[in-house]
Amino acid sequence: MRYLTALPLFWIMIAASRGGQWGAWMPSSISAFERTCVSIPCRFDFPDELRPAVVHGVWYFNSPYPKNYPPVVFKSRTHVVHESFQGRSRLLGDLGLRNCTVQLTNLSPELGGKYYFRADLGGYNQYTFSEHSTLDIINTPSIVVPPEVVAGTEVEIGCMVPDNCPELHPTLSWLGHEGLGAPAVLGRMREDGGTWVQASLLHFVPTREANGHRLGCQVTFPNTTFQYEGYASLDVKYPPLIVEMNTSVEAIEGSQVTLLCGADSNPMSLLTWMRDGAVLREAVARSLALELEDLTPEEDGIYACLAENAYGQDNHTVGLSVMYAPWKPSVNGTMVAVEGEAVSILCSTQSNPDPILTIFKEKQILATVIYESQLLLELPAVTAEDDGEYWCVAENQYGQRASVFNISVEFTPVILLESHCAAVRDTVQCVCVVKSNPEPAVAFELPARNVTVNETEREFVYSERTGLVLTSILTLRGQVQAPPRVVCSARNLYGTKSLELPFQGANRLMWAKIGPVGAVVAFAILIAIVCYITQTRRKKNTTESPSFAGGENPPVLFSSDFRIPGVPEKSESERRLGSERRLLGLRAEPPELDLGYSHVDLGKRPTKDSYTLTEELAEYAEIRVK
C-alpha cells in the first residue's frame, strides 16, 4: 500500500528549499489519541540578508493574525500562553536552527484545531506563515478497508494509528479476526507529511459469509491504562445465490398459486421471473413473488428465476403442474372401410395427470390404456359387425370426457334370416330384411308369374331403413290356393344376394282360405234343405188340394239366381279362364298387389245362368277345395 511504503519527503524538501525566502513547512494535518501527546514537526526560513541576532517564535491557535488576539500556544519571548495550553505546550525545536517543532501533551478534544507559527526576528521583521497544521484529537484507531472487497479475491485490511508522541508509542492487536487470517504488524512508519503512523495489516480471502463481519483493532500504550478500540464491518461484494425457491408446485385448474424467489447477494440483485424467455415480473429486491390466479392448463410449465448483479448471476427453475380433467378426446383415422380392410383409429386427449383411455362399442371394451394420452385401436380385417358407433372415454381423478365416432364398413348385402312371407287376414305379406352398406336396391320376384316389383313402386312395397338394416315389405292381396313363391334380391356396388322367402304358417293360410268358402257352402246347403222341405210340403198340400191337382204347368224351384233368356250359360272352362285373368291382373287398391285371388262376398249369392242355388254353391265349393 502506497500510504505504508512511500518514503517521507518532508525533510528532503526542507533541505532543498534553503533559498532565503519567507516560508514554513509542517504537516497539513496531524492526529493523536486523546490524553496522549503530539509533536508537530515544523521548519521555517527567512531571507539571508536579515541576519538576526536572536530568533523568536510564536504559535497561535486557530488564527494567524495577532490583532485578532488568538490563543497563544507557545511564545519564546515571554512564555506567556493561553490558559488552555498552560503546562501542555513546549518547543522541541531550535529556532536559531529554523526548527519550530512544538509538542502538546495531555491532549483533550478542545485542543483540536489549526496551529499557525509566527517568526519574530526583531523590529519589523516578523512574519506569520500562512502554512498551518490541523490537529485531530482521536479516541479510536482507523481501520483502512479497500474501496471494494470481493468474495474470492485476496484483500488487505490495515489498522492505522498515529505515532507522533515521542514519549508514548502505541501497540496494536486485532479483534474478531479468527478465521480470516493472521495479522502482520509492520511497525512504525513515516508518512509523506512528516508524521508517523503505527500500522498492522491483515491479509485474507473473504467469502460471502464474511459480509457484515465486525473486525476490530485495539490500541494500547505501554505503562498506561490507555486503551482504544475501533471496529469496521466488512462489506464483501459477491454474486447472487438463490437461497429461497419453491420446489415443484402442483395446483388445480382455476386455483391460485404463488411462486417465491429469494437471493443472497451484495449488492442487492435484480430478480426476474421468466417463462419461455418472456419476462413476467422483475424488481431489485431480496425476494420476489410471482402470483398466478385462476390457473389454466396453458400456465403449466417451467418457470425460471434469474438473479444478477455486477459480480455475477444465478438462476433456478421451478415446475408448475396444473392438474385438470381430460379435454374432449380427438379421434382420427380410417372411418370408412371396405369389409376385410384394416382399420386404425387413434384417440388422443390432454390432461394432468395423464388419463385412463378406453374405447368401447355397445358397452364392450375394445382397447384401454392407463396413464397415456393416446390410444390406438387396430382392427386387422373389419366385418359388417364392426360397423357402428364407438366411444372414446378419457378420465382421471378430476373428471371425465368422451367423444363418439362411427366406423362405416361397406360390404355386400346380407339377407337376414328373419326374412319371410306370411298370411295376414286376406293378404300375404313378404318381408325382406337386408343388412348392407351402402344402402342396397331391393326387388321382389314372383317366378311363377314372371313378375318383379322393386322398392321404387311405393304402391306395393314399403321400405324402412334403421342403421344398416333395410326392411322392405311386399303386400299381396287375395285368396290363394297355395303359398306363392317370392324371391328377394338385394344389390349394391359390392355385389348381389338373393333369397327365396320361406312361407310361415302355410296350413293356417289354407284353412283360413277354405273357412269362408265352407261357410258359404254350408249356408247354401241349409237353404237348399229348407227350400226342399218347403216345396215338399207344398206338393203335398197341392196333391191334397183340388185346386192344384189340375194344373198344367210343372212345379218350378225358385231361387234368387235366374237366367236371362237368350244368354247362353257359361261353361266351366270359361269360369277358369276368367279366374286366371283375374290372377294376372293388378287391383287398384294400393299398397297391396292383387294377383286375382277372388273375394267371396257373403252378402250376395253368385248369379249364374243355368244353375240353381244349391248346384252353384256346391260347384263353387268343390273348385275352391281343389
Side-chain angles (χ1 to χ4, degrees), residues 403-439:
S403 292
V404 62
F405 63 95
N406 288 276
I407 297 180
S408 179
V409 180
E410 297 185 345
F411 53 93
T412 305
V414 177
I415 301 178
L416 304 183
L417 296 178
E418 54 262 37
S419 301
H420 67 281
C421 290
V424 180
R425 297 184 181 178
D426 60 345
T427 63
V428 173
Q429 286 188 341
C430 293
V431 180
C432 185
V433 183
V434 181
K435 187 174 184 179
S436 172
N437 190 21
E439 184 175 348

mmCIF file of all heavy atoms in Angstrom, residues 403-439:
data_model
loop_
_atom_site.group_PDB
_atom_site.id
_atom_site.type_symbol
_atom_site.label_atom_id
_atom_site.label_comp_id
_atom_site.label_asym_id
_atom_site.label_seq_id
_atom_site.Cartn_x
_atom_site.Cartn_y
_atom_site.Cartn_z
ATOM 1 N N SER A 403 -65.832 -38.838 -26.427
ATOM 2 C CA SER A 403 -66.139 -38.487 -27.812
ATOM 3 C C SER A 403 -66.706 -39.726 -28.500
ATOM 4 O O SER A 403 -66.271 -40.858 -28.246
ATOM 5 C CB SER A 403 -64.900 -38.009 -28.559
ATOM 6 O OG SER A 403 -64.451 -36.774 -28.069
ATOM 7 N N VAL A 404 -67.671 -39.492 -29.343
ATOM 8 C CA VAL A 404 -68.291 -40.581 -30.092
ATOM 9 C C VAL A 404 -67.823 -40.496 -31.534
ATOM 10 O O VAL A 404 -67.639 -39.403 -32.079
ATOM 11 C CB VAL A 404 -69.835 -40.508 -29.996
ATOM 12 C CG1 VAL A 404 -70.362 -39.222 -30.599
ATOM 13 C CG2 VAL A 404 -70.471 -41.720 -30.658
ATOM 14 N N PHE A 405 -67.600 -41.650 -32.137
ATOM 15 C CA PHE A 405 -67.233 -41.687 -33.550
ATOM 16 C C PHE A 405 -67.842 -42.945 -34.172
ATOM 17 O O PHE A 405 -68.240 -43.886 -33.463
ATOM 18 C CB PHE A 405 -65.718 -41.657 -33.742
ATOM 19 C CG PHE A 405 -64.995 -42.844 -33.159
ATOM 20 C CD1 PHE A 405 -64.670 -43.947 -33.932
ATOM 21 C CD2 PHE A 405 -64.615 -42.843 -31.821
ATOM 22 C CE1 PHE A 405 -63.989 -45.018 -33.393
ATOM 23 C CE2 PHE A 405 -63.942 -43.913 -31.271
ATOM 24 C CZ PHE A 405 -63.627 -45.008 -32.063
ATOM 25 N N ASN A 406 -67.941 -42.943 -35.466
ATOM 26 C CA ASN A 406 -68.547 -44.049 -36.196
ATOM 27 C C ASN A 406 -67.559 -44.625 -37.183
ATOM 28 O O ASN A 406 -66.823 -43.892 -37.855
ATOM 29 C CB ASN A 406 -69.796 -43.588 -36.945
ATOM 30 C CG ASN A 406 -70.956 -43.307 -36.016
ATOM 31 O OD1 ASN A 406 -71.687 -44.198 -35.626
ATOM 32 N ND2 ASN A 406 -71.098 -42.040 -35.649
ATOM 33 N N ILE A 407 -67.556 -45.947 -37.258
ATOM 34 C CA ILE A 407 -66.807 -46.651 -38.296
ATOM 35 C C ILE A 407 -67.833 -47.212 -39.279
ATOM 36 O O ILE A 407 -68.732 -47.961 -38.894
ATOM 37 C CB ILE A 407 -65.950 -47.785 -37.715
ATOM 38 C CG1 ILE A 407 -64.890 -47.205 -36.775
ATOM 39 C CG2 ILE A 407 -65.300 -48.584 -38.829
ATOM 40 C CD1 ILE A 407 -64.001 -48.246 -36.143
ATOM 41 N N SER A 408 -67.713 -46.815 -40.505
ATOM 42 C CA SER A 408 -68.633 -47.268 -41.548
ATOM 43 C C SER A 408 -67.938 -48.343 -42.370
ATOM 44 O O SER A 408 -66.924 -48.078 -43.039
ATOM 45 C CB SER A 408 -69.042 -46.087 -42.437
ATOM 46 O OG SER A 408 -69.914 -46.520 -43.453
ATOM 47 N N VAL A 409 -68.464 -49.559 -42.294
ATOM 48 C CA VAL A 409 -67.915 -50.689 -43.043
ATOM 49 C C VAL A 409 -68.825 -50.962 -44.236
ATOM 50 O O VAL A 409 -70.023 -51.239 -44.074
ATOM 51 C CB VAL A 409 -67.798 -51.943 -42.158
ATOM 52 C CG1 VAL A 409 -67.222 -53.109 -42.962
ATOM 53 C CG2 VAL A 409 -66.932 -51.648 -40.940
ATOM 54 N N GLU A 410 -68.274 -50.863 -45.404
ATOM 55 C CA GLU A 410 -69.043 -51.118 -46.627
ATOM 56 C C GLU A 410 -68.867 -52.585 -47.015
ATOM 57 O O GLU A 410 -67.748 -53.097 -47.065
ATOM 58 C CB GLU A 410 -68.578 -50.187 -47.744
ATOM 59 C CG GLU A 410 -68.824 -48.711 -47.411
ATOM 60 C CD GLU A 410 -68.469 -47.789 -48.551
ATOM 61 O OE1 GLU A 410 -67.765 -48.266 -49.481
ATOM 62 O OE2 GLU A 410 -68.876 -46.614 -48.520
ATOM 63 N N PHE A 411 -70.015 -53.252 -47.344
ATOM 64 C CA PHE A 411 -69.961 -54.684 -47.609
ATOM 65 C C PHE A 411 -71.126 -55.094 -48.502
ATOM 66 O O PHE A 411 -72.086 -54.343 -48.711
ATOM 67 C CB PHE A 411 -70.001 -55.479 -46.292
ATOM 68 C CG PHE A 411 -71.149 -55.110 -45.396
ATOM 69 C CD1 PHE A 411 -72.364 -55.802 -45.454
ATOM 70 C CD2 PHE A 411 -71.034 -54.065 -44.498
ATOM 71 C CE1 PHE A 411 -73.418 -55.454 -44.622
ATOM 72 C CE2 PHE A 411 -72.081 -53.713 -43.667
ATOM 73 C CZ PHE A 411 -73.275 -54.400 -43.730
ATOM 74 N N THR A 412 -71.028 -56.315 -49.012
ATOM 75 C CA THR A 412 -72.074 -56.883 -49.863
ATOM 76 C C THR A 412 -73.333 -57.104 -49.037
ATOM 77 O O THR A 412 -73.257 -57.454 -47.860
ATOM 78 C CB THR A 412 -71.590 -58.222 -50.445
ATOM 79 O OG1 THR A 412 -70.359 -58.002 -51.118
ATOM 80 C CG2 THR A 412 -72.614 -58.804 -51.412
ATOM 81 N N PRO A 413 -74.507 -56.907 -49.635
ATOM 82 C CA PRO A 413 -75.750 -57.096 -48.880
ATOM 83 C C PRO A 413 -75.857 -58.489 -48.277
ATOM 84 O O PRO A 413 -75.418 -59.483 -48.869
ATOM 85 C CB PRO A 413 -76.841 -56.844 -49.911
ATOM 86 C CG PRO A 413 -76.201 -55.998 -50.945
ATOM 87 C CD PRO A 413 -74.778 -56.438 -51.011
ATOM 88 N N VAL A 414 -76.453 -58.545 -47.110
ATOM 89 C CA VAL A 414 -76.734 -59.807 -46.426
ATOM 90 C C VAL A 414 -78.224 -59.838 -46.118
ATOM 91 O O VAL A 414 -78.740 -58.944 -45.443
ATOM 92 C CB VAL A 414 -75.909 -59.933 -45.129
ATOM 93 C CG1 VAL A 414 -76.282 -61.223 -44.408
ATOM 94 C CG2 VAL A 414 -74.425 -59.900 -45.435
ATOM 95 N N ILE A 415 -78.916 -60.859 -46.642
ATOM 96 C CA ILE A 415 -80.342 -61.006 -46.361
ATOM 97 C C ILE A 415 -80.482 -61.796 -45.074
ATOM 98 O O ILE A 415 -80.033 -62.938 -44.972
ATOM 99 C CB ILE A 415 -81.070 -61.702 -47.524
ATOM 100 C CG1 ILE A 415 -80.891 -60.874 -48.811
ATOM 101 C CG2 ILE A 415 -82.551 -61.866 -47.211
ATOM 102 C CD1 ILE A 415 -81.525 -61.508 -50.035
ATOM 103 N N LEU A 416 -81.060 -61.176 -44.085
ATOM 104 C CA LEU A 416 -81.123 -61.769 -42.755
ATOM 105 C C LEU A 416 -82.172 -62.867 -42.687
ATOM 106 O O LEU A 416 -83.129 -62.910 -43.472
ATOM 107 C CB LEU A 416 -81.403 -60.683 -41.724
ATOM 108 C CG LEU A 416 -80.403 -59.515 -41.708
ATOM 109 C CD1 LEU A 416 -80.746 -58.537 -40.594
ATOM 110 C CD2 LEU A 416 -78.985 -60.028 -41.569
ATOM 111 N N LEU A 417 -82.005 -63.740 -41.696
ATOM 112 C CA LEU A 417 -82.853 -64.926 -41.580
ATOM 113 C C LEU A 417 -84.298 -64.600 -41.237
ATOM 114 O O LEU A 417 -85.189 -65.435 -41.452
ATOM 115 C CB LEU A 417 -82.276 -65.861 -40.510
ATOM 116 C CG LEU A 417 -80.880 -66.432 -40.831
ATOM 117 C CD1 LEU A 417 -80.406 -67.301 -39.683
ATOM 118 C CD2 LEU A 417 -80.921 -67.226 -42.136
ATOM 119 N N GLU A 418 -84.551 -63.404 -40.691
ATOM 120 C CA GLU A 418 -85.932 -63.090 -40.351
ATOM 121 C C GLU A 418 -86.771 -62.737 -41.575
ATOM 122 O O GLU A 418 -87.957 -62.417 -41.446
ATOM 123 C CB GLU A 418 -85.985 -61.953 -39.328
ATOM 124 C CG GLU A 418 -85.251 -60.721 -39.729
ATOM 125 C CD GLU A 418 -83.876 -60.659 -39.123
ATOM 126 O OE1 GLU A 418 -83.233 -61.735 -39.008
ATOM 127 O OE2 GLU A 418 -83.444 -59.561 -38.780
ATOM 128 N N SER A 419 -86.176 -62.771 -42.759
ATOM 129 C CA SER A 419 -86.933 -62.505 -43.980
ATOM 130 C C SER A 419 -87.873 -63.685 -44.255
ATOM 131 O O SER A 419 -87.472 -64.851 -44.203
ATOM 132 C CB SER A 419 -85.979 -62.303 -45.165
ATOM 133 O OG SER A 419 -85.098 -61.231 -44.911
ATOM 134 N N HIS A 420 -89.159 -63.400 -44.597
ATOM 135 C CA HIS A 420 -90.146 -64.454 -44.808
ATOM 136 C C HIS A 420 -91.417 -63.876 -45.418
ATOM 137 O O HIS A 420 -91.560 -62.656 -45.557
ATOM 138 C CB HIS A 420 -90.496 -65.118 -43.473
ATOM 139 C CG HIS A 420 -91.224 -64.179 -42.557
ATOM 140 N ND1 HIS A 420 -90.581 -63.199 -41.825
ATOM 141 C CD2 HIS A 420 -92.560 -64.042 -42.266
ATOM 142 C CE1 HIS A 420 -91.464 -62.512 -41.121
ATOM 143 N NE2 HIS A 420 -92.677 -62.994 -41.371
ATOM 144 N N CYS A 421 -92.339 -64.783 -45.768
ATOM 145 C CA CYS A 421 -93.688 -64.414 -46.170
ATOM 146 C C CYS A 421 -94.659 -65.009 -45.158
ATOM 147 O O CYS A 421 -94.410 -66.081 -44.597
ATOM 148 C CB CYS A 421 -94.020 -64.939 -47.571
ATOM 149 S SG CYS A 421 -93.109 -64.108 -48.885
ATOM 150 N N ALA A 422 -95.798 -64.331 -44.964
ATOM 151 C CA ALA A 422 -96.782 -64.811 -44.003
ATOM 152 C C ALA A 422 -98.151 -64.274 -44.392
ATOM 153 O O ALA A 422 -98.276 -63.232 -45.055
ATOM 154 C CB ALA A 422 -96.412 -64.374 -42.602
ATOM 155 N N ALA A 423 -99.161 -65.034 -43.990
ATOM 156 C CA ALA A 423 -100.540 -64.622 -44.255
ATOM 157 C C ALA A 423 -100.990 -63.671 -43.165
ATOM 158 O O ALA A 423 -100.775 -63.905 -41.980
ATOM 159 C CB ALA A 423 -101.452 -65.825 -44.281
ATOM 160 N N VAL A 424 -101.600 -62.593 -43.577
ATOM 161 C CA VAL A 424 -102.168 -61.611 -42.671
ATOM 162 C C VAL A 424 -103.588 -61.324 -43.151
ATOM 163 O O VAL A 424 -103.784 -60.618 -44.142
ATOM 164 C CB VAL A 424 -101.332 -60.332 -42.639
ATOM 165 C CG1 VAL A 424 -101.963 -59.333 -41.690
ATOM 166 C CG2 VAL A 424 -99.899 -60.629 -42.230
ATOM 167 N N ARG A 425 -104.596 -61.928 -42.434
ATOM 168 C CA ARG A 425 -106.001 -61.835 -42.833
ATOM 169 C C ARG A 425 -106.183 -62.324 -44.264
ATOM 170 O O ARG A 425 -105.874 -63.456 -44.580
ATOM 171 C CB ARG A 425 -106.506 -60.413 -42.630
ATOM 172 C CG ARG A 425 -106.478 -59.962 -41.178
ATOM 173 C CD ARG A 425 -107.066 -58.578 -41.007
ATOM 174 N NE ARG A 425 -106.998 -58.156 -39.612
ATOM 175 C CZ ARG A 425 -107.397 -56.978 -39.179
ATOM 176 N NH1 ARG A 425 -107.904 -56.098 -40.035
ATOM 177 N NH2 ARG A 425 -107.293 -56.693 -37.903
ATOM 178 N N ASP A 426 -106.658 -61.430 -45.137
ATOM 179 C CA ASP A 426 -106.890 -61.875 -46.516
ATOM 180 C C ASP A 426 -105.744 -61.454 -47.419
ATOM 181 O O ASP A 426 -105.906 -61.332 -48.631
ATOM 182 C CB ASP A 426 -108.214 -61.313 -47.047
ATOM 183 C CG ASP A 426 -108.200 -59.795 -47.039
ATOM 184 O OD1 ASP A 426 -107.305 -59.243 -46.379
ATOM 185 O OD2 ASP A 426 -109.057 -59.189 -47.699
ATOM 186 N N THR A 427 -104.520 -61.167 -46.830
ATOM 187 C CA THR A 427 -103.363 -60.783 -47.647
ATOM 188 C C THR A 427 -102.185 -61.663 -47.285
ATOM 189 O O THR A 427 -102.177 -62.348 -46.258
ATOM 190 C CB THR A 427 -102.976 -59.320 -47.416
ATOM 191 O OG1 THR A 427 -102.574 -59.173 -46.060
ATOM 192 C CG2 THR A 427 -104.117 -58.375 -47.728
ATOM 193 N N VAL A 428 -101.162 -61.566 -48.121
ATOM 194 C CA VAL A 428 -99.880 -62.212 -47.874
ATOM 195 C C VAL A 428 -98.834 -61.107 -47.861
ATOM 196 O O VAL A 428 -98.725 -60.324 -48.812
ATOM 197 C CB VAL A 428 -99.548 -63.259 -48.948
ATOM 198 C CG1 VAL A 428 -98.117 -63.777 -48.742
ATOM 199 C CG2 VAL A 428 -100.538 -64.401 -48.896
ATOM 200 N N GLN A 429 -98.059 -61.037 -46.774
ATOM 201 C CA GLN A 429 -97.002 -60.044 -46.667
ATOM 202 C C GLN A 429 -95.651 -60.736 -46.671
ATOM 203 O O GLN A 429 -95.414 -61.665 -45.906
ATOM 204 C CB GLN A 429 -97.136 -59.222 -45.382
ATOM 205 C CG GLN A 429 -98.270 -58.213 -45.412
ATOM 206 C CD GLN A 429 -98.254 -57.295 -44.197
ATOM 207 O OE1 GLN A 429 -97.640 -57.621 -43.200
ATOM 208 N NE2 GLN A 429 -98.954 -56.172 -44.310
ATOM 209 N N CYS A 430 -94.790 -60.235 -47.552
ATOM 210 C CA CYS A 430 -93.436 -60.768 -47.672
ATOM 211 C C CYS A 430 -92.465 -59.707 -47.169
ATOM 212 O O CYS A 430 -92.440 -58.587 -47.679
ATOM 213 C CB CYS A 430 -93.120 -61.127 -49.115
ATOM 214 S SG CYS A 430 -94.116 -62.510 -49.724
ATOM 215 N N VAL A 431 -91.697 -60.077 -46.152
ATOM 216 C CA VAL A 431 -90.748 -59.158 -45.519
ATOM 217 C C VAL A 431 -89.341 -59.588 -45.887
ATOM 218 O O VAL A 431 -88.954 -60.734 -45.648
ATOM 219 C CB VAL A 431 -90.920 -59.159 -43.991
ATOM 220 C CG1 VAL A 431 -89.923 -58.205 -43.342
ATOM 221 C CG2 VAL A 431 -92.342 -58.803 -43.616
ATOM 222 N N CYS A 432 -88.569 -58.636 -46.449
ATOM 223 C CA CYS A 432 -87.169 -58.894 -46.802
ATOM 224 C C CYS A 432 -86.306 -57.938 -45.978
ATOM 225 O O CYS A 432 -86.385 -56.712 -46.129
ATOM 226 C CB CYS A 432 -86.939 -58.672 -48.294
ATOM 227 S SG CYS A 432 -85.267 -59.108 -48.814
ATOM 228 N N VAL A 433 -85.501 -58.502 -45.070
ATOM 229 C CA VAL A 433 -84.649 -57.711 -44.187
ATOM 230 C C VAL A 433 -83.209 -57.853 -44.670
ATOM 231 O O VAL A 433 -82.669 -58.959 -44.689
ATOM 232 C CB VAL A 433 -84.774 -58.170 -42.722
ATOM 233 C CG1 VAL A 433 -83.944 -57.279 -41.813
ATOM 234 C CG2 VAL A 433 -86.236 -58.176 -42.295
ATOM 235 N N VAL A 434 -82.613 -56.717 -45.051
ATOM 236 C CA VAL A 434 -81.292 -56.718 -45.666
ATOM 237 C C VAL A 434 -80.363 -55.827 -44.860
ATOM 238 O O VAL A 434 -80.711 -54.688 -44.530
ATOM 239 C CB VAL A 434 -81.355 -56.217 -47.126
ATOM 240 C CG1 VAL A 434 -79.963 -56.254 -47.751
ATOM 241 C CG2 VAL A 434 -82.328 -57.048 -47.929
ATOM 242 N N LYS A 435 -79.186 -56.351 -44.561
ATOM 243 C CA LYS A 435 -78.129 -55.554 -43.925
ATOM 244 C C LYS A 435 -77.083 -55.264 -44.977
ATOM 245 O O LYS A 435 -76.545 -56.190 -45.598
ATOM 246 C CB LYS A 435 -77.513 -56.306 -42.747
ATOM 247 C CG LYS A 435 -76.540 -55.469 -41.942
ATOM 248 C CD LYS A 435 -76.075 -56.225 -40.706
ATOM 249 C CE LYS A 435 -75.174 -55.349 -39.842
ATOM 250 N NZ LYS A 435 -74.723 -56.052 -38.631
ATOM 251 N N SER A 436 -76.784 -53.959 -45.155
ATOM 252 C CA SER A 436 -75.903 -53.599 -46.258
ATOM 253 C C SER A 436 -75.355 -52.197 -46.034
ATOM 254 O O SER A 436 -75.948 -51.368 -45.354
ATOM 255 C CB SER A 436 -76.664 -53.648 -47.589
ATOM 256 O OG SER A 436 -75.892 -53.126 -48.633
ATOM 257 N N ASN A 437 -74.200 -51.967 -46.619
ATOM 258 C CA ASN A 437 -73.602 -50.623 -46.632
ATOM 259 C C ASN A 437 -72.705 -50.546 -47.863
ATOM 260 O O ASN A 437 -71.755 -51.322 -47.996
ATOM 261 C CB ASN A 437 -72.773 -50.371 -45.382
ATOM 262 C CG ASN A 437 -72.357 -48.924 -45.269
ATOM 263 O OD1 ASN A 437 -72.955 -48.054 -45.857
ATOM 264 N ND2 ASN A 437 -71.301 -48.676 -44.509
ATOM 265 N N PRO A 438 -73.018 -49.693 -48.812
ATOM 266 C CA PRO A 438 -74.093 -48.696 -48.782
ATOM 267 C C PRO A 438 -75.474 -49.314 -48.961
ATOM 268 O O PRO A 438 -75.591 -50.517 -49.181
ATOM 269 C CB PRO A 438 -73.729 -47.772 -49.946
ATOM 270 C CG PRO A 438 -72.962 -48.641 -50.878
ATOM 271 C CD PRO A 438 -72.196 -49.593 -50.027
ATOM 272 N N GLU A 439 -76.487 -48.477 -48.897
ATOM 273 C CA GLU A 439 -77.864 -48.942 -48.951
ATOM 274 C C GLU A 439 -78.118 -49.694 -50.252
ATOM 275 O O GLU A 439 -77.750 -49.228 -51.339
ATOM 276 C CB GLU A 439 -78.818 -47.755 -48.839
ATOM 277 C CG GLU A 439 -80.284 -48.163 -48.801
ATOM 278 C CD GLU A 439 -81.190 -46.968 -48.560
ATOM 279 O OE1 GLU A 439 -80.674 -45.890 -48.203
ATOM 280 O OE2 GLU A 439 -82.408 -47.123 -48.732
#
